[in-house]
mmCIF file of all heavy atoms in Angstrom:
data_model
loop_
_atom_site.group_PDB
_atom_site.id
_atom_site.type_symbol
_atom_site.label_atom_id
_atom_site.label_comp_id
_atom_site.label_asym_id
_atom_site.label_seq_id
_atom_site.Cartn_x
_atom_site.Cartn_y
_atom_site.Cartn_z
ATOM 1 N N ALA A 35 -3.344 15.873 3.822
ATOM 2 C CA ALA A 35 -3.840 15.534 2.485
ATOM 3 C C ALA A 35 -2.700 15.021 1.606
ATOM 4 O O ALA A 35 -2.869 14.068 0.839
ATOM 5 C CB ALA A 35 -4.485 16.763 1.838
ATOM 6 N N VAL A 36 -1.495 15.623 1.728
ATOM 7 C CA VAL A 36 -0.342 15.165 0.941
ATOM 8 C C VAL A 36 0.045 13.757 1.390
ATOM 9 O O VAL A 36 0.349 12.878 0.570
ATOM 10 C CB VAL A 36 0.863 16.128 1.095
ATOM 11 C CG1 VAL A 36 2.051 15.630 0.285
ATOM 12 C CG2 VAL A 36 0.483 17.520 0.637
ATOM 13 N N ALA A 37 0.002 13.530 2.717
ATOM 14 C CA ALA A 37 0.317 12.189 3.244
ATOM 15 C C ALA A 37 -0.633 11.154 2.640
ATOM 16 O O ALA A 37 -0.212 10.073 2.201
ATOM 17 C CB ALA A 37 0.205 12.191 4.769
ATOM 18 N N ASP A 38 -1.918 11.495 2.572
ATOM 19 C CA ASP A 38 -2.899 10.559 1.985
ATOM 20 C C ASP A 38 -2.640 10.380 0.489
ATOM 21 O O ASP A 38 -2.810 9.283 -0.051
ATOM 22 C CB ASP A 38 -4.338 11.077 2.188
ATOM 23 C CG ASP A 38 -4.697 11.140 3.672
ATOM 24 O OD1 ASP A 38 -4.016 10.452 4.463
ATOM 25 O OD2 ASP A 38 -5.643 11.873 4.026
ATOM 26 N N ALA A 39 -2.253 11.469 -0.177
ATOM 27 C CA ALA A 39 -2.064 11.414 -1.632
ATOM 28 C C ALA A 39 -0.953 10.444 -2.018
ATOM 29 O O ALA A 39 -1.043 9.771 -3.042
ATOM 30 C CB ALA A 39 -1.743 12.808 -2.168
ATOM 31 N N PHE A 40 0.093 10.335 -1.188
ATOM 32 C CA PHE A 40 1.205 9.446 -1.526
ATOM 33 C C PHE A 40 0.789 7.974 -1.559
ATOM 34 O O PHE A 40 1.464 7.143 -2.158
ATOM 35 C CB PHE A 40 2.378 9.650 -0.548
ATOM 36 C CG PHE A 40 3.336 10.696 -1.017
ATOM 37 C CD1 PHE A 40 3.211 12.018 -0.617
ATOM 38 C CD2 PHE A 40 4.367 10.378 -1.884
ATOM 39 C CE1 PHE A 40 4.086 12.992 -1.062
ATOM 40 C CE2 PHE A 40 5.250 11.348 -2.331
ATOM 41 C CZ PHE A 40 5.108 12.657 -1.922
ATOM 42 N N GLU A 41 -0.329 7.678 -0.888
ATOM 43 C CA GLU A 41 -0.789 6.277 -0.885
ATOM 44 C C GLU A 41 -1.328 5.857 -2.252
ATOM 45 O O GLU A 41 -1.605 4.691 -2.485
ATOM 46 C CB GLU A 41 -1.893 6.081 0.171
ATOM 47 C CG GLU A 41 -1.356 6.076 1.581
ATOM 48 C CD GLU A 41 -2.438 5.726 2.606
ATOM 49 O OE1 GLU A 41 -3.576 5.444 2.186
ATOM 50 O OE2 GLU A 41 -2.137 5.730 3.802
ATOM 51 N N VAL A 42 -1.482 6.822 -3.165
ATOM 52 C CA VAL A 42 -2.107 6.499 -4.455
ATOM 53 C C VAL A 42 -1.256 5.512 -5.257
ATOM 54 O O VAL A 42 -1.792 4.683 -5.984
ATOM 55 C CB VAL A 42 -2.379 7.778 -5.285
ATOM 56 C CG1 VAL A 42 -1.104 8.373 -5.857
ATOM 57 C CG2 VAL A 42 -3.335 7.486 -6.420
ATOM 58 N N ILE A 43 0.073 5.573 -5.114
ATOM 59 C CA ILE A 43 0.933 4.686 -5.923
ATOM 60 C C ILE A 43 0.734 3.222 -5.508
ATOM 61 O O ILE A 43 0.381 2.390 -6.345
ATOM 62 C CB ILE A 43 2.423 5.112 -5.841
ATOM 63 C CG1 ILE A 43 2.603 6.560 -6.321
ATOM 64 C CG2 ILE A 43 3.315 4.154 -6.628
ATOM 65 C CD1 ILE A 43 2.400 6.807 -7.802
ATOM 66 N N PRO A 44 0.925 2.875 -4.186
ATOM 67 C CA PRO A 44 0.653 1.473 -3.828
ATOM 68 C C PRO A 44 -0.797 1.071 -4.107
ATOM 69 O O PRO A 44 -1.053 -0.041 -4.556
ATOM 70 C CB PRO A 44 0.992 1.403 -2.329
ATOM 71 C CG PRO A 44 1.210 2.786 -1.863
ATOM 72 C CD PRO A 44 1.511 3.625 -3.057
ATOM 73 N N ARG A 45 -1.742 2.002 -3.900
ATOM 74 C CA ARG A 45 -3.157 1.659 -4.123
ATOM 75 C C ARG A 45 -3.402 1.301 -5.588
ATOM 76 O O ARG A 45 -4.066 0.318 -5.918
ATOM 77 C CB ARG A 45 -4.057 2.823 -3.705
ATOM 78 C CG ARG A 45 -5.544 2.409 -3.736
ATOM 79 C CD ARG A 45 -6.514 3.548 -3.514
ATOM 80 N NE ARG A 45 -6.034 4.552 -2.585
ATOM 81 C CZ ARG A 45 -5.972 5.853 -2.873
ATOM 82 N NH1 ARG A 45 -6.346 6.302 -4.070
ATOM 83 N NH2 ARG A 45 -5.540 6.705 -1.986
ATOM 84 N N THR A 46 -2.826 2.122 -6.485
ATOM 85 C CA THR A 46 -3.016 1.872 -7.924
ATOM 86 C C THR A 46 -2.375 0.546 -8.327
ATOM 87 O O THR A 46 -2.920 -0.200 -9.131
ATOM 88 C CB THR A 46 -2.395 3.029 -8.749
ATOM 89 O OG1 THR A 46 -2.915 4.253 -8.267
ATOM 90 C CG2 THR A 46 -2.720 2.904 -10.208
ATOM 91 N N LEU A 47 -1.201 0.246 -7.740
ATOM 92 C CA LEU A 47 -0.544 -1.036 -8.038
ATOM 93 C C LEU A 47 -1.443 -2.206 -7.659
ATOM 94 O O LEU A 47 -1.550 -3.195 -8.387
ATOM 95 C CB LEU A 47 0.783 -1.143 -7.287
ATOM 96 C CG LEU A 47 1.964 -0.337 -7.848
ATOM 97 C CD1 LEU A 47 3.140 -0.394 -6.889
ATOM 98 C CD2 LEU A 47 2.389 -0.873 -9.204
ATOM 99 N N ILE A 48 -2.100 -2.086 -6.489
ATOM 100 C CA ILE A 48 -2.999 -3.169 -6.037
ATOM 101 C C ILE A 48 -4.199 -3.263 -6.981
ATOM 102 O O ILE A 48 -4.586 -4.348 -7.422
ATOM 103 C CB ILE A 48 -3.481 -2.926 -4.580
ATOM 104 C CG1 ILE A 48 -2.282 -2.851 -3.623
ATOM 105 C CG2 ILE A 48 -4.428 -4.023 -4.125
ATOM 106 C CD1 ILE A 48 -2.595 -2.262 -2.257
ATOM 107 N N GLN A 49 -4.786 -2.101 -7.311
ATOM 108 C CA GLN A 49 -5.982 -2.097 -8.166
ATOM 109 C C GLN A 49 -5.682 -2.673 -9.545
ATOM 110 O O GLN A 49 -6.474 -3.417 -10.104
ATOM 111 C CB GLN A 49 -6.508 -0.661 -8.334
ATOM 112 C CG GLN A 49 -7.251 -0.169 -7.096
ATOM 113 C CD GLN A 49 -7.497 1.333 -7.149
ATOM 114 O OE1 GLN A 49 -6.844 2.058 -7.882
ATOM 115 N NE2 GLN A 49 -8.443 1.806 -6.350
ATOM 116 N N ASN A 50 -4.488 -2.334 -10.094
ATOM 117 C CA ASN A 50 -4.175 -2.766 -11.462
ATOM 118 C C ASN A 50 -3.989 -4.262 -11.592
ATOM 119 O O ASN A 50 -4.040 -4.795 -12.693
ATOM 120 C CB ASN A 50 -2.924 -2.047 -11.988
ATOM 121 C CG ASN A 50 -3.240 -0.619 -12.384
ATOM 122 O OD1 ASN A 50 -4.384 -0.197 -12.361
ATOM 123 N ND2 ASN A 50 -2.223 0.140 -12.736
ATOM 124 N N CYS A 51 -3.703 -4.956 -10.458
ATOM 125 C CA CYS A 51 -3.601 -6.413 -10.601
ATOM 126 C C CYS A 51 -4.775 -7.104 -9.897
ATOM 127 O O CYS A 51 -4.707 -8.289 -9.563
ATOM 128 C CB CYS A 51 -2.256 -6.924 -10.114
ATOM 129 S SG CYS A 51 -1.925 -6.554 -8.423
ATOM 130 N N GLY A 52 -5.835 -6.325 -9.653
ATOM 131 C CA GLY A 52 -7.089 -6.929 -9.180
ATOM 132 C C GLY A 52 -7.103 -7.305 -7.710
ATOM 133 O O GLY A 52 -7.881 -8.182 -7.299
ATOM 134 N N GLY A 53 -6.269 -6.648 -6.882
ATOM 135 C CA GLY A 53 -6.256 -6.973 -5.445
ATOM 136 C C GLY A 53 -7.304 -6.174 -4.679
ATOM 137 O O GLY A 53 -8.058 -5.387 -5.247
ATOM 138 N N ASN A 54 -7.316 -6.374 -3.366
ATOM 139 C CA ASN A 54 -8.255 -5.648 -2.515
ATOM 140 C C ASN A 54 -7.514 -4.471 -1.871
ATOM 141 O O ASN A 54 -6.785 -4.652 -0.896
ATOM 142 C CB ASN A 54 -8.789 -6.608 -1.445
ATOM 143 C CG ASN A 54 -9.754 -5.917 -0.493
ATOM 144 O OD1 ASN A 54 -9.803 -4.687 -0.418
ATOM 145 N ND2 ASN A 54 -10.528 -6.705 0.230
ATOM 146 N N PRO A 55 -7.695 -3.248 -2.408
ATOM 147 C CA PRO A 55 -6.846 -2.129 -1.958
ATOM 148 C C PRO A 55 -7.013 -1.782 -0.485
ATOM 149 O O PRO A 55 -6.035 -1.486 0.195
ATOM 150 C CB PRO A 55 -7.261 -0.958 -2.846
ATOM 151 C CG PRO A 55 -8.445 -1.384 -3.618
ATOM 152 C CD PRO A 55 -8.584 -2.865 -3.495
ATOM 153 N N ILE A 56 -8.240 -1.841 0.046
ATOM 154 C CA ILE A 56 -8.465 -1.360 1.418
ATOM 155 C C ILE A 56 -7.724 -2.247 2.419
ATOM 156 O O ILE A 56 -6.960 -1.766 3.271
ATOM 157 C CB ILE A 56 -9.978 -1.317 1.743
ATOM 158 C CG1 ILE A 56 -10.645 -0.297 0.818
ATOM 159 C CG2 ILE A 56 -10.204 -0.949 3.207
ATOM 160 C CD1 ILE A 56 -12.141 -0.268 0.869
ATOM 161 N N ARG A 57 -7.900 -3.574 2.283
ATOM 162 C CA ARG A 57 -7.297 -4.483 3.263
ATOM 163 C C ARG A 57 -5.759 -4.465 3.152
ATOM 164 O O ARG A 57 -5.046 -4.358 4.148
ATOM 165 C CB ARG A 57 -7.840 -5.900 3.050
ATOM 166 C CG ARG A 57 -7.572 -6.784 4.270
ATOM 167 C CD ARG A 57 -8.266 -8.127 4.235
ATOM 168 N NE ARG A 57 -7.592 -9.037 3.322
ATOM 169 C CZ ARG A 57 -8.159 -9.549 2.242
ATOM 170 N NH1 ARG A 57 -9.400 -9.229 1.936
ATOM 171 N NH2 ARG A 57 -7.509 -10.374 1.458
ATOM 172 N N ILE A 58 -5.254 -4.554 1.911
ATOM 173 C CA ILE A 58 -3.792 -4.656 1.728
ATOM 174 C C ILE A 58 -3.099 -3.352 2.127
ATOM 175 O O ILE A 58 -2.024 -3.370 2.729
ATOM 176 C CB ILE A 58 -3.455 -5.057 0.269
ATOM 177 C CG1 ILE A 58 -4.012 -6.451 0.004
ATOM 178 C CG2 ILE A 58 -1.958 -5.054 0.023
ATOM 179 C CD1 ILE A 58 -4.011 -6.894 -1.425
ATOM 180 N N LEU A 59 -3.743 -2.201 1.824
ATOM 181 C CA LEU A 59 -3.138 -0.920 2.217
ATOM 182 C C LEU A 59 -3.056 -0.793 3.733
ATOM 183 O O LEU A 59 -2.072 -0.275 4.267
ATOM 184 C CB LEU A 59 -3.946 0.247 1.652
ATOM 185 C CG LEU A 59 -3.483 0.811 0.304
ATOM 186 C CD1 LEU A 59 -4.329 2.001 -0.089
ATOM 187 C CD2 LEU A 59 -2.023 1.234 0.343
ATOM 188 N N ALA A 60 -4.083 -1.279 4.421
ATOM 189 C CA ALA A 60 -4.076 -1.220 5.895
ATOM 190 C C ALA A 60 -2.909 -2.045 6.434
ATOM 191 O O ALA A 60 -2.188 -1.614 7.348
ATOM 192 C CB ALA A 60 -5.410 -1.735 6.438
ATOM 193 N N GLN A 61 -2.696 -3.235 5.833
ATOM 194 C CA GLN A 61 -1.574 -4.087 6.285
ATOM 195 C C GLN A 61 -0.226 -3.394 5.996
ATOM 196 O O GLN A 61 0.686 -3.419 6.830
ATOM 197 C CB GLN A 61 -1.603 -5.430 5.536
ATOM 198 C CG GLN A 61 -2.790 -6.309 5.900
ATOM 199 C CD GLN A 61 -2.932 -7.494 4.934
ATOM 200 O OE1 GLN A 61 -2.182 -7.623 3.971
ATOM 201 N NE2 GLN A 61 -3.920 -8.338 5.191
ATOM 202 N N LEU A 62 -0.133 -2.763 4.822
ATOM 203 C CA LEU A 62 1.123 -2.100 4.441
ATOM 204 C C LEU A 62 1.413 -0.915 5.369
ATOM 205 O O LEU A 62 2.549 -0.711 5.797
ATOM 206 C CB LEU A 62 1.020 -1.615 2.991
ATOM 207 C CG LEU A 62 2.279 -0.986 2.389
ATOM 208 C CD1 LEU A 62 3.433 -1.977 2.384
ATOM 209 C CD2 LEU A 62 2.031 -0.513 0.959
ATOM 210 N N ARG A 63 0.331 -0.182 5.708
ATOM 211 C CA ARG A 63 0.496 0.962 6.612
ATOM 212 C C ARG A 63 1.024 0.490 7.959
ATOM 213 O O ARG A 63 1.912 1.109 8.559
ATOM 214 C CB ARG A 63 -0.863 1.651 6.788
ATOM 215 C CG ARG A 63 -0.768 3.164 6.830
ATOM 216 C CD ARG A 63 -2.121 3.821 6.889
ATOM 217 N NE ARG A 63 -2.794 3.903 5.601
ATOM 218 C CZ ARG A 63 -4.009 3.435 5.351
ATOM 219 N NH1 ARG A 63 -4.709 2.849 6.305
ATOM 220 N NH2 ARG A 63 -4.543 3.563 4.152
ATOM 221 N N ALA A 64 0.494 -0.623 8.426
ATOM 222 C CA ALA A 64 0.918 -1.176 9.733
ATOM 223 C C ALA A 64 2.397 -1.563 9.690
ATOM 224 O O ALA A 64 3.155 -1.284 10.623
ATOM 225 C CB ALA A 64 0.056 -2.386 10.077
ATOM 226 N N LYS A 65 2.812 -2.192 8.576
ATOM 227 C CA LYS A 65 4.222 -2.601 8.441
ATOM 228 C C LYS A 65 5.138 -1.371 8.519
ATOM 229 O O LYS A 65 6.164 -1.388 9.204
ATOM 230 C CB LYS A 65 4.450 -3.264 7.074
ATOM 231 C CG LYS A 65 3.873 -4.657 6.963
ATOM 232 C CD LYS A 65 4.884 -5.688 7.423
ATOM 233 C CE LYS A 65 4.380 -7.095 7.168
ATOM 234 N NZ LYS A 65 5.033 -8.081 8.020
ATOM 235 N N HIS A 66 4.740 -0.313 7.794
ATOM 236 C CA HIS A 66 5.578 0.901 7.768
ATOM 237 C C HIS A 66 5.572 1.616 9.114
ATOM 238 O O HIS A 66 6.587 2.183 9.511
ATOM 239 C CB HIS A 66 5.107 1.841 6.649
ATOM 240 C CG HIS A 66 5.671 1.472 5.311
ATOM 241 N ND1 HIS A 66 6.798 2.027 4.796
ATOM 242 C CD2 HIS A 66 5.246 0.569 4.389
ATOM 243 C CE1 HIS A 66 7.065 1.490 3.610
ATOM 244 N NE2 HIS A 66 6.124 0.609 3.338
ATOM 245 N N ALA A 67 4.440 1.590 9.807
ATOM 246 C CA ALA A 67 4.362 2.242 11.122
ATOM 247 C C ALA A 67 5.314 1.559 12.102
ATOM 248 O O ALA A 67 5.844 2.192 13.019
ATOM 249 C CB ALA A 67 2.924 2.186 11.642
ATOM 250 N N ASN A 68 5.575 0.249 11.869
ATOM 251 C CA ASN A 68 6.505 -0.479 12.745
ATOM 252 C C ASN A 68 7.943 -0.446 12.221
ATOM 253 O O ASN A 68 8.780 -1.242 12.632
ATOM 254 C CB ASN A 68 6.061 -1.944 12.899
ATOM 255 C CG ASN A 68 4.739 -2.041 13.642
ATOM 256 O OD1 ASN A 68 4.442 -1.189 14.481
ATOM 257 N ND2 ASN A 68 3.934 -3.034 13.303
ATOM 258 N N GLY A 69 8.200 0.449 11.272
ATOM 259 C CA GLY A 69 9.587 0.647 10.813
ATOM 260 C C GLY A 69 10.001 -0.191 9.620
ATOM 261 O O GLY A 69 11.166 -0.139 9.218
ATOM 262 N N GLY A 70 9.086 -0.969 9.020
ATOM 263 C CA GLY A 70 9.465 -1.798 7.858
ATOM 264 C C GLY A 70 9.367 -1.010 6.574
ATOM 265 O O GLY A 70 8.481 -1.258 5.750
ATOM 266 N N HIS A 71 10.294 -0.041 6.375
ATOM 267 C CA HIS A 71 10.108 0.864 5.235
ATOM 268 C C HIS A 71 10.492 0.265 3.887
ATOM 269 O O HIS A 71 10.429 0.925 2.876
ATOM 270 C CB HIS A 71 10.865 2.190 5.464
ATOM 271 C CG HIS A 71 12.327 2.015 5.697
ATOM 272 N ND1 HIS A 71 12.915 2.348 6.883
ATOM 273 C CD2 HIS A 71 13.302 1.531 4.895
ATOM 274 C CE1 HIS A 71 14.209 2.077 6.814
ATOM 275 N NE2 HIS A 71 14.465 1.576 5.625
ATOM 276 N N THR A 72 10.941 -1.019 3.863
ATOM 277 C CA THR A 72 11.226 -1.625 2.551
ATOM 278 C C THR A 72 10.052 -2.488 2.089
ATOM 279 O O THR A 72 10.145 -3.153 1.059
ATOM 280 C CB THR A 72 12.504 -2.493 2.607
ATOM 281 O OG1 THR A 72 12.368 -3.441 3.652
ATOM 282 C CG2 THR A 72 13.729 -1.634 2.825
ATOM 283 N N TRP A 73 8.955 -2.486 2.842
ATOM 284 C CA TRP A 73 7.803 -3.290 2.419
ATOM 285 C C TRP A 73 7.010 -2.545 1.356
ATOM 286 O O TRP A 73 6.770 -1.354 1.473
ATOM 287 C CB TRP A 73 6.908 -3.625 3.610
ATOM 288 C CG TRP A 73 7.494 -4.739 4.434
ATOM 289 C CD1 TRP A 73 8.479 -4.616 5.359
ATOM 290 C CD2 TRP A 73 7.168 -6.130 4.371
ATOM 291 N NE1 TRP A 73 8.802 -5.836 5.888
ATOM 292 C CE2 TRP A 73 8.000 -6.794 5.306
ATOM 293 C CE3 TRP A 73 6.249 -6.885 3.625
ATOM 294 C CZ2 TRP A 73 7.942 -8.175 5.505
ATOM 295 C CZ3 TRP A 73 6.195 -8.262 3.836
ATOM 296 C CH2 TRP A 73 7.038 -8.888 4.759
ATOM 297 N N GLY A 74 6.633 -3.272 0.301
ATOM 298 C CA GLY A 74 5.846 -2.658 -0.775
ATOM 299 C C GLY A 74 4.879 -3.675 -1.357
ATOM 300 O O GLY A 74 4.571 -4.689 -0.732
ATOM 301 N N ILE A 75 4.437 -3.414 -2.573
ATOM 302 C CA ILE A 75 3.422 -4.260 -3.204
ATOM 303 C C ILE A 75 4.069 -5.100 -4.305
ATOM 304 O O ILE A 75 4.841 -4.582 -5.116
ATOM 305 C CB ILE A 75 2.310 -3.380 -3.848
ATOM 306 C CG1 ILE A 75 1.708 -2.426 -2.818
ATOM 307 C CG2 ILE A 75 1.237 -4.238 -4.505
ATOM 308 C CD1 ILE A 75 0.958 -3.094 -1.701
ATOM 309 N N ASP A 76 3.746 -6.391 -4.334
ATOM 310 C CA ASP A 76 4.124 -7.245 -5.452
ATOM 311 C C ASP A 76 3.124 -6.957 -6.577
ATOM 312 O O ASP A 76 1.961 -7.334 -6.493
ATOM 313 C CB ASP A 76 4.052 -8.717 -5.006
ATOM 314 C CG ASP A 76 4.299 -9.677 -6.165
ATOM 315 O OD1 ASP A 76 4.229 -9.232 -7.313
ATOM 316 O OD2 ASP A 76 4.547 -10.873 -5.899
ATOM 317 N N GLY A 77 3.600 -6.252 -7.615
ATOM 318 C CA GLY A 77 2.689 -5.795 -8.674
ATOM 319 C C GLY A 77 2.050 -6.907 -9.476
ATOM 320 O O GLY A 77 1.078 -6.683 -10.194
ATOM 321 N N ASP A 78 2.586 -8.137 -9.376
ATOM 322 C CA ASP A 78 1.990 -9.248 -10.130
ATOM 323 C C ASP A 78 0.844 -9.892 -9.367
ATOM 324 O O ASP A 78 -0.167 -10.267 -9.944
ATOM 325 C CB ASP A 78 3.055 -10.322 -10.427
ATOM 326 C CG ASP A 78 3.987 -9.878 -11.537
ATOM 327 O OD1 ASP A 78 3.469 -9.367 -12.549
ATOM 328 O OD2 ASP A 78 5.208 -10.022 -11.397
#
């Protein structure tokens, strides 16, 4: 549950600029699972 809760920050960033949270979060999760820990969300 804590692991899921941490996703709230990138999710909120996507929502606040009108993006599609489900699709973009899935892509971000995949990037991090492959070791790309500097990947994040462009808030604009």
Side-chain angles (χ1 to χ4, degrees):
V36 179
D38 296 340
F40 270 93
E41 286 186 3
V42 73
I43 302 290
R45 188 188 325 126
T46 307
L47 284 172
I48 301 165
Q49 284 168 340
N50 284 355
C51 59
N54 179 343
I56 296 172
R57 197 171 76 242
I58 296 169
L59 266 183
Q61 292 168 357
L62 184 60
R63 219 175 280 125
K65 286 271 187 202
H66 277 266
N68 294 330
H71 57 244
T72 54
W73 282 80
I75 305 295
D76 174 345
D78 285 315

